[in-house]
Amino acid sequence: MAAPGPWSQDNWHLRPNRNGTCFVHRGRPEPLDLHLGMFLPTLLTQATPEQQDRFFMPAWNLEIIGTYAQTEMGHGTHLRGLETTATYDPATQEFILNSPTVTSIKWWPGGLGKTSNHAIVLAQLYTQGQCKGLHAFIVPIRQLGTHEPLPGITVGDIGPKFGYDEMDNGYLKMDNFRIPRENMLMKHAQVEPDGTYVKPLSDKLTYGTMVFIRSLIVGDSARSLSRACTIAIRYSAVRHQSELKPGEPEPQILDYQTQQYKLFPLLATAYAFHFVGAYIKDTYHRISGDINEGDLSELPELHALTAGLKAFTSWTANAGIEECRMACGGHGYSRCSGIPDIYVTFTPSCTYEGENTVMMLQTARFLVKSYTQVSSGQRVTGMVSYLNDLSRQRIQPQHVASRTATVRITDPVSLVDAYKARAARLVEAAAKNLQAELNHRKSKEDAWNRTSVDLVRASEAHCHYVVVKLFTAKLSEIGNAAVRAVLTDLCLLYALYGISKNTGDFLQAGILTDAQITQVTQRVKELLAIIRPNAVALVDSFDFHDVHLGSVLGRYDGNVYENMFEWAKKSPLNKTQVHESFHKHLKPMQAKL
């Protein structure tokens, strides 16, 4: 069934009210986030039409408020290790849900602590004496009307966290809790009334919601980094400090090359991630449409691409947000800067919906499999098609000098080729190292673990290539010549800065020469000066309103210091001139002196 009103997987943060459409989600954590972002999408993608008729409208109208309970106290990203069980009882046609150990207690789901009355629970399915793996079940957890926990359900809030104070992340323990057979989400896999299990076309179809959320995190990485860059660059245009030349006025700190070197590569990264986020969203919807038509051929690459880019973009954005905070000096540490709130809200994305190192290793499995196919004479397609070049290079080897001469450091298309060659070499090296470990008669698991550092580096190189490729491809779509010129400079800065931070890879593989690396370093510095006049306009184009930015330092009007003073005066400690602690502690102590 189609969702009513404006709701879709593109605008899950919107809900209508009597006056029209309003925002529930304004870029900060809220208790309904998982209901809107995971519970409703999971119903749309994994429930049968009959189940959607039964659950979707009550959920849309907030009679049912749901969350997504996957992570357990003892297991997170390793889904096969989840311990919660759902055992089918054919006599009553019910599933019996249990949390058999303390480590099996569901832990962390947003909105579970106090808000939700239902949860989509991921549990190991047992039927006819066999475990059929992880499946999703709709589980009522609180009584409608009274909101009291149902018998057999223990539920609550997990307590204070690093951030996310607005979110009631919760725990859920189930003791022989029974639900009807029809509460298992059965679009892809089914359990028939007699307990017969009907398997899905692909086991990965059960993880559709996670793939969807990972694709959203790529876009969120772009937005969060963009907000931090906006604050830091605007403030750097307002702040004057020190002297460039004795006797002259203090310059804007944005005029210092070191400040530009901190912030402009991050600005370029924010733009790059914006284009990647749009691509991954479109790709997700396209492949999801194919899956609904029964075509699963691109599902493995979708899973690998969203896993890798989720990790690559969130790691980079997380470090970049902190770099922006430090670039604001001491005032960046104040919450009035807005950056501390951006950081504590964004940083969990490095671990939720798949811990980033594990995500990179999932991408690596796909890369190694693709490399193995190429080695056996097969061709691969999609974003890994560059691996096909490896077989040709073995037939027609090139000397290093002739290969490096083709890389033009002022041409984004040529730099895409350089990143492509780097990714191919690191994937090949990781695959060969893995095979060497296997040849030492080690088990597959031991060999994988002993090669995992190389595998993660290969995945990072692959993702870096994808980002440079997509940024470069976007340039040709820009009709306005002036805008295209500015974005070309940003694209070059992103690509060249990435080379300067990974020079060993490009030199060792013979992709670039020492002389070219020197040119790269010089060109990065030249681009900083070229981008400087447009830097504030480039962050203004993100179009963050002050209310959404939540920053005194990053105000659009630049009136930082007056508003910082006003902000400070509103501190709770300033409600009285003399704080109660004076009378309680200081005055008695002074009286004894």
Side-chain angles (χ1 to χ4, degrees):
M1 61 176 285
W7 196 92
S8 75
Q9 290 183 340
D10 288 326
N11 59 359
W12 56 271
H13 54 291
L14 298 174
R15 269 196 56 82
N17 61 17
R18 294 174 184 174
N19 302 316
T21 300
C22 71
F23 280 95
V24 169
H25 190 284
R26 297 178 183 272
R28 61 178 183 268
E30 293 183 0
L32 287 178
D33 281 0
L34 265 74
H35 175 76
L36 297 169
M38 296 190 77
F39 189 84
L40 289 172
T42 302
L43 289 179
L44 287 176
T45 57
Q46 296 190 38
T48 64
E50 294 77 17
Q51 288 173 321
Q52 290 188 17
D53 289 341
R54 181 177 159 206
F55 290 109
F56 190 87
M57 283 312 298
W60 174 253
N61 292 325
L62 298 181
E63 297 162 23
I64 288 176
I65 300 175
T67 186
Y68 192 85
Q70 174 177 293
T71 299
E72 297 173 357
M73 189 186 292
H75 288 90
T77 305
H78 181 52
L79 300 183
R80 285 174 293 176
L82 295 178
E83 299 176 86
T84 302
T85 60
T87 305
Y88 184 64
D89 180 1
T92 59
Q93 293 192 27
E94 292 175 316
F95 288 101
I96 307 167
L97 281 99
N98 268 299
S99 306
T101 63
V102 66
T103 52
S104 71
I105 296 171
K106 295 296 182 184
W107 203 266
W108 280 110
L112 176 61
K114 294 296 175 184
T115 306
S116 301
N117 53 32
H118 282 67
I120 290 176
V121 172
L122 276 290
Q124 303 290 353
L125 167 61
Y126 285 84
T127 183
Q128 296 180 339
Q130 293 182 322
C131 179
K132 298 298 183 180
L134 209 60
H135 290 73
F137 302 83
I138 301 174
V139 181
I141 56 176
R142 289 183 170 98
Q143 183 68 49
L144 297 183
T146 68
H147 213 59
E148 291 287 339
L150 294 168
I153 295 291
T154 304
V155 62
D157 184 84
I158 65 170
K161 306 168 291 286
F162 186 56
Y164 265 62
D165 295 335
E166 308 92 335
M167 179 72 78
D168 55 328
N169 297 86
Y171 60 78
L172 172 65
K173 184 176 184 295
M174 294 167 289
D175 296 297
N176 293 316
F177 187 77
R178 289 177 173 262
I179 59 171
R181 180 183 69 90
E182 293 79 11
N183 279 32
M184 173 183 163
L185 292 177
M186 294 198 195
K187 180 177 181 179
H188 302 301
Q190 296 89 39
V191 171
E192 296 178 347
D194 66 354
T196 301
Y197 177 73
V198 181
K199 66 179 182 180
L201 291 175
S202 169
D203 292 338
K204 287 186 172 65
L205 290 172
T206 310
Y207 306 144
T209 302
M210 287 187 303
V211 173
F212 169 57
I213 295 298
R214 287 170 190 165
S215 71
L216 290 180
I217 290 173
V218 176
D220 192 42
S221 298
R223 284 185 294 275
S224 297
L225 182 57
S226 299
R227 289 174 67 199
C229 285
T230 299
I231 294 166
I233 289 174
R234 282 180 178 172
Y235 177 62
S236 296
V238 170
R239 182 79 169 181
H240 292 255
Q241 199 74 34
S242 302
E243 292 178 332
L244 275 175
K245 298 178 181 178
E248 292 192 0
E250 292 181 309
Q252 297 163 294
I253 61 173
L254 198 56
D255 288 334
Y256 289 99
Q257 189 184 68
T258 50
Q259 189 76 347
Q260 296 168 7
Y261 190 70
K262 292 175 187 176
L263 295 177
F264 292 175
L266 294 176
L267 174 62
T269 301
Y271 271 85
F273 287 0
H274 172 77
F275 299 136
V276 173
Y279 169 84
I280 203 71
K281 185 182 76 171
D282 292 344
T283 301
Y284 171 82
H285 288 305
R286 177 180 62 78
I287 296 178
S288 292
D290 294 341
I291 290 170
N292 288 334
E293 297 298 320
D295 179 4
L296 307 182
S297 59
E298 292 189 81
L299 182 58
E301 179 165 20
L302 175 65
H303 183 266
L305 195 60
T306 54
L309 288 175
K310 179 267 184 190
F312 184 81
T313 58
S314 61
W315 262 337
T316 304
N318 192 60
I321 293 165
E322 175 65 359
E323 183 76 9
C324 287
R325 180 191 69 78
M326 291 190 288
C328 292
H331 293 326
Y333 190 68
S334 170
R335 284 190 71 180
C336 80
S337 75
I339 298 180
D341 286 337
I342 295 173
Y343 183 83
V344 298
T345 299
F346 179 76
T347 194
S349 65
C350 294
T351 46
Y352 65 52
E353 300 310 316
E355 192 277 329
N356 279 358
T357 301
V358 179
M359 292 297 94
M360 283 297 190
L361 288 170
Q362 288 187 9
T363 301
R365 287 193 186 277
F366 178 74
L367 294 175
V368 170
K369 183 178 180 180
S370 299
Y371 175 82
T372 303
Q373 289 176 318
V374 168
S375 299
S376 65
Q378 301 177 53
R379 292 187 61 78
V380 292
T381 58
M383 285 293 183
V384 292
S385 59
Y386 62 85
L387 293 175
N388 295 321
D389 298 338
L390 289 171
S391 58
R392 286 201 298 271
Q393 288 171 10
R394 292 191 194 98
I395 298 170
Q396 296 176 318
Q398 292 177 291
H399 294 294
V400 169
S402 62
R403 190 162 63 244
T404 55
T406 63
V407 178
R408 300 177 302 281
I409 66 168
T410 57
D411 179 9
V413 174
S414 185
L415 294 175
V416 171
D417 289 337
Y419 273 89
K420 180 195 298 184
R422 173 193 178 222
R425 293 306 180 193
L426 286 178
V427 170
E428 182 177 48
K432 286 182 175 179
N433 289 346
L434 178 62
Q435 188 57 52
E437 291 290 344
L438 284 169
N439 291 342
H440 286 109
R441 297 193 181 93
K442 294 187 177 73
S443 70
K444 287 183 179 179
E445 293 76 15
D446 284 342
W448 184 264
N449 184 45
R450 287 174 177 267
T451 320
S452 56
V453 170
D454 301 329
L455 292 164
V456 168
R457 290 192 68 240
S459 292
E460 289 174 336
H462 172 72
C463 292
H464 210 161
Y465 155 69
V466 169
V467 176
V468 174
K469 175 183 171 69
L470 293 176
F471 198 165
T472 301
K474 197 69 182 178
L475 298 177
S476 62
E477 300 175 19
I478 301 170
N480 184 297
V483 173
R484 185 169 63 251
V486 173
L487 288 182
T488 298
D489 289 335
L490 278 181
C491 182
L492 281 170
L493 179 60
Y494 179 79
L496 294 174
Y497 181 82
I499 290 173
S500 73
K501 291 298 181 181
N502 296 279
T503 53
D505 293 341
F506 291 92
L507 285 169
Q508 191 174 20
I511 301 165
L512 296 172
T513 63
D514 288 346
Q516 286 175 311
I517 293 296
T518 301
Q519 292 171 12
V520 165
T521 304
Q522 182 60 32
R523 186 58 183 161
V524 165
K525 290 185 287 186
E526 292 169 358
L527 285 167
L528 298 179
I530 291 170
I531 290 166
R532 167 64 181 94
N534 294 312
V536 174
L538 283 165
V539 295
D540 286 351
S541 71
F542 292 135
D543 199 24
F544 291 118
H545 294 188
D546 284 346
V547 127
H548 180 60
L549 206 56
S551 171
V552 174
L553 301 191
R555 289 174 59 91
Y556 181 74
D557 62 11
N559 293 327
V560 171
Y561 298 121
E562 301 92 333
N563 286 282
M564 187 183 296
F565 188 35
E566 292 303 315
W567 183 88
K569 287 192 288 187
K570 294 174 184 176
S571 167
L573 287 178
N574 293 327
K575 287 183 178 178
T576 59
Q577 286 298 321
V578 180
H579 193 261
E580 62 182 70
S581 61
F582 173 78
H583 299 288
K584 188 173 181 181
H585 300 292
L586 288 178
K587 190 173 182 180
M589 182 179 66
Q590 290 170 339
K592 295 176 183 179
L593 297 178

